């Protein structure tokens, strides 16, 4: 329902209204994720996970996904609801992608790939003459996100059947997240270029078509991993 209202509001209402709807959708998603977590705590004696389940919550990637969703909501507070302090918001998204990186492959080879992609994106921004603090943070965020998405797709094949579906949802969520970031980047790059006015409009309309489903899929992945963990 919120998604439909957001799509309608983008063409008919002021951003002060649609921005609140957008952030409400993120908060509803986060509340659902936390509800799953808290319901799991209540169903165990003593108000805490016990034995094997508690070790999984502490040592596995489940709590990391919940942390990523929580920091995402904090980032959107600045980028969506308040629509200011972009550097702070992008910095928080850097933390989100770092958190998700720890949910995936943790090898030196993977870390080297991340470094190479980050340097290449930085070099591209520098060559385009747009490198500043905001774009530097964006370079880190998008490079980490892209490698996270690829790593998640690789992990789908390596997962046992029991966890394959959850990882597939997580990978799909990250791929949609990439689509959101690329659409946002195109919108920003074509902001003042009249020749690309059509591209600017299309890319702007795609941001939330990618973004909100990406967050829902990541939350569903968290839910599935928790109940099957």
């Amino acid at each position: 329902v919120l998604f439909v209202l957001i799509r309608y509001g983008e063409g008919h209402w002021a951003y002060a209204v649609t921005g609140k709807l957008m952030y409400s959708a993120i908060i509803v998603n986060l509340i659902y994720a936390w509800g799953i977590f808290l319901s799991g705590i209540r169903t165990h004696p003593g108000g805490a996970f016990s034995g094997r389940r508690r070790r999984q919550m502490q040592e596995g990637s489940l709590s990391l996904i919940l942390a990523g969703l929580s920091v995402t909501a904090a980032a959107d507070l600045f980028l969506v609801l308040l629509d200011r302090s972009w550097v702070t918001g992008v910095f928080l998204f850097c933390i989100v992608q770092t958190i998700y990186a720890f949910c995936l492959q943790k090898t030196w080879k993977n870390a080297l790939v991340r470094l190479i992609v980050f340097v290449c994106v930085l070099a591209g921004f520098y060559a385009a003459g747009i490198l500043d603090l905001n774009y530097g943070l964006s370079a880190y965020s998008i490079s980490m996100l892209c490698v996270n998405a690829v790593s998640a797709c690789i992990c789908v094949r390596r997962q046992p059947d029991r966890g394959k579906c959850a990882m597939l949802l997580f990978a799909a969520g990250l791929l949609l997240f990439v689509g959101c970031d690329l659409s946002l980047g195109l919108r920003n790059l074509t902001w003042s270029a009249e020749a690309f006015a059509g591209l600017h409009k299309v890319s702007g309309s795609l941001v939330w078509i990618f973004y909100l489903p990406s967050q829902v899929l990541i939350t569903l992945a968290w839910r599935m991993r928790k109940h099957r963990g």
Side-chain angles (χ1 to χ4, degrees):
V1 171
L2 285 169
F3 180 76
V4 172
L5 289 174
I6 289 168
R7 295 298 299 137
Y8 178 82
E10 284 181 319
H12 297 83
W13 300 333
Y15 183 80
V17 177
T18 55
K20 290 182 175 65
L21 289 172
M22 292 171 178
Y23 193 65
S24 296
I26 297 300
I27 292 299
V28 168
N29 190 60
L30 179 63
I31 290 173
Y32 177 69
W34 272 99
I36 295 168
F37 177 76
L38 294 176
S39 66
I41 292 178
R42 288 196 300 270
T43 56
H44 286 76
F49 290 99
S50 60
R52 178 170 169 268
R53 179 61 64 85
R54 183 173 61 185
R55 289 194 298 273
Q56 288 170 341
M57 292 297 297
Q58 291 174 340
E59 300 170 6
S61 62
L62 302 180
S63 56
L64 289 177
I65 294 178
L66 183 58
L69 291 168
S70 301
V71 180
T72 295
D76 283 329
L77 174 66
F78 295 97
L79 298 178
V80 177
L81 185 62
L82 301 179
D83 195 25
R84 62 173 185 266
S85 300
W86 278 72
V87 171
T88 303
V90 175
F91 173 73
L92 289 172
F93 268 122
C94 291
I95 296 176
V96 171
Q97 296 311 321
T98 302
I99 290 172
Y100 289 158
F102 280 100
C103 297
L104 299 163
Q105 298 172 330
K106 298 181 283 291
T107 64
W108 285 109
K109 181 179 179 181
N110 188 264
L112 180 60
V113 170
R114 293 177 186 278
L115 178 61
I116 293 172
V117 174
F118 173 51
V119 171
C120 288
V121 176
L122 272 182
F125 285 162
Y126 179 79
I130 57 174
L131 184 60
D132 56 15
L133 178 58
N134 191 22
Y135 276 100
L137 291 172
S138 297
Y140 178 85
S141 178
I142 189 63
S143 60
M144 290 288 284
L145 172 56
C146 288
V147 178
N148 283 343
V150 173
S151 297
C153 291
I154 294 172
C155 287
V156 170
R157 295 188 307 167
R158 299 177 178 176
Q159 285 287 314
D161 291 340
R162 189 179 179 187
K164 193 177 292 291
C165 189
M167 184 55 70
L168 182 61
L169 289 175
F170 189 47
L174 290 177
L175 287 171
L176 288 174
F177 212 150
V178 172
C180 167
D181 268 20
L182 292 178
S183 299
L184 186 61
L186 279 175
R187 190 187 72 173
N188 291 338
L189 291 173
T190 57
W191 184 270
S192 58
E194 293 185 7
F196 298 100
L199 180 60
H200 174 77
K201 183 177 181 180
V202 171
S203 59
S205 66
L206 288 175
V207 171
W208 278 82
I209 291 177
F210 286 122
Y211 184 55
L212 189 53
S214 79
Q215 299 308 299
V216 172
L217 286 175
I218 291 172
T219 300
L220 291 177
W222 144 262
R223 178 180 184 274
M224 187 169 293
R225 288 287 297 275
K226 176 186 176 299
H227 286 299
R228 292 189 178 186

